[in-house]
Amino acid sequence: MNQETIEKRLNQGLNLSALMLNALGGQSELSLSGFENPDRGVLNHLMRFLNSKGIFHEQSTIKILHEILNDSGPNNSFMNQLRIFDTFSEADFMTYLNGLEDSFAGKSAQVVWINRVKLRKVGIRGYDISLYVLLSRLSFTCGLISDKELTRRVLHILPIAVSQFSDWQEYNDNVILGNHYTTPTLQLDSMEILPSNNLYAAWHRMMQQEGTLVHPFKF
């Protein structure tokens, strides 16, 4: 593989985290870190975000990335719920939902139920992939992994994304849905995703910046 091809694929791979990075305040989607010359305040903010995901040092970085790569991340929980709901009737699901005391658990269950047919095969794997690339990039930015390690991981995950999604619209829709499934503060409105979802807003900002309805980067 020549250098030009590597750079093209690396840029495509970095864009797998574009929505999450944009929502987090990244300044450059295509630089390795996504943050140009971050100051101490920015680094502290990013490190707090990594801490919230269980990342504190190099060893925990490798552990968390390994879990997500091997489908032990949020998608695993989504798919386990989906398999249970496959045996439910509408009445069974409503009984189950009414028995939940936790509002977040109820909201997440509804996200699975609504999308159980559409996402039976892929689940929210796009969300996992986006999170994997984002955490890799932020871990590099905070000095937990090297640029070579980041590049290796991004180039490795890209063909996995390509094998499961046909285009950026399908992929980013999956990322937004996964974000809604995993974020306690987001609620459902008439069983639909709220436009106030920060990743939904980031997606529209990106489209407006490009002046097109389709993000320009192609798999």
Side-chain angles (χ1 to χ4, degrees), residues 27-113:
Q27 301 160 334
S28 173
E29 293 171 20
L30 296 181
S31 72
L32 285 178
S33 71
F35 291 83
E36 302 293 344
N37 304 314
D39 60 24
R40 177 51 54 186
V42 171
L43 289 174
N44 288 340
H45 169 65
L46 299 181
M47 199 64 214
R48 285 193 295 271
F49 178 82
L50 289 173
N51 292 165
S52 74
K53 303 300 182 182
I55 292 177
F56 301 92
H57 39 60
E58 182 181 6
Q59 290 82 1
S60 56
T61 301
I62 301 304
K63 176 180 179 293
I64 295 298
L65 292 178
H66 178 79
E67 289 175 355
I68 298 174
L69 182 63
N70 289 279
D71 205 11
S72 296
N75 182 57
N76 183 261
S77 172
F78 183 95
M79 295 303 286
N80 285 338
Q81 270 193 301
L82 188 148
R83 282 188 282 270
I84 293 171
F85 293 164
D86 265 347
T87 67
F88 282 16
S89 66
E90 186 83 32
D92 290 335
F93 178 72
M94 294 310 300
T95 299
Y96 170 85
L97 193 63
N98 291 333
L100 294 175
E101 297 181 359
D102 181 80
S103 60
F104 173 48
K107 185 265 291 186
S108 296
Q110 289 179 73
V111 172
V112 178
W113 179 258

Side-chain angles (χ1 to χ4, degrees), residues 16 154-164:
L16 293 169
V154 171
L155 292 177
H156 177 73
I157 201 73
L158 177 62
I160 297 175
V162 171
S163 71
Q164 299 195 42

Side-chain angles (χ1 to χ4, degrees), residues 113-124:
W113 179 258
I114 297 165
N115 296 280
R116 66 193 184 282
V117 176
K118 180 175 70 173
L119 298 182
R120 180 166 284 117
K121 291 184 178 180
V122 72
I124 55 168

Side-chain angles (χ1 to χ4, degrees), residues 166-180:
S166 59
D167 54 37
W168 285 109
Q169 180 74 57
E170 182 183 17
Y171 172 77
N172 283 320
D173 284 348
N174 191 273
V175 175
I176 293 170
L177 188 64
N179 179 246
H180 219 75

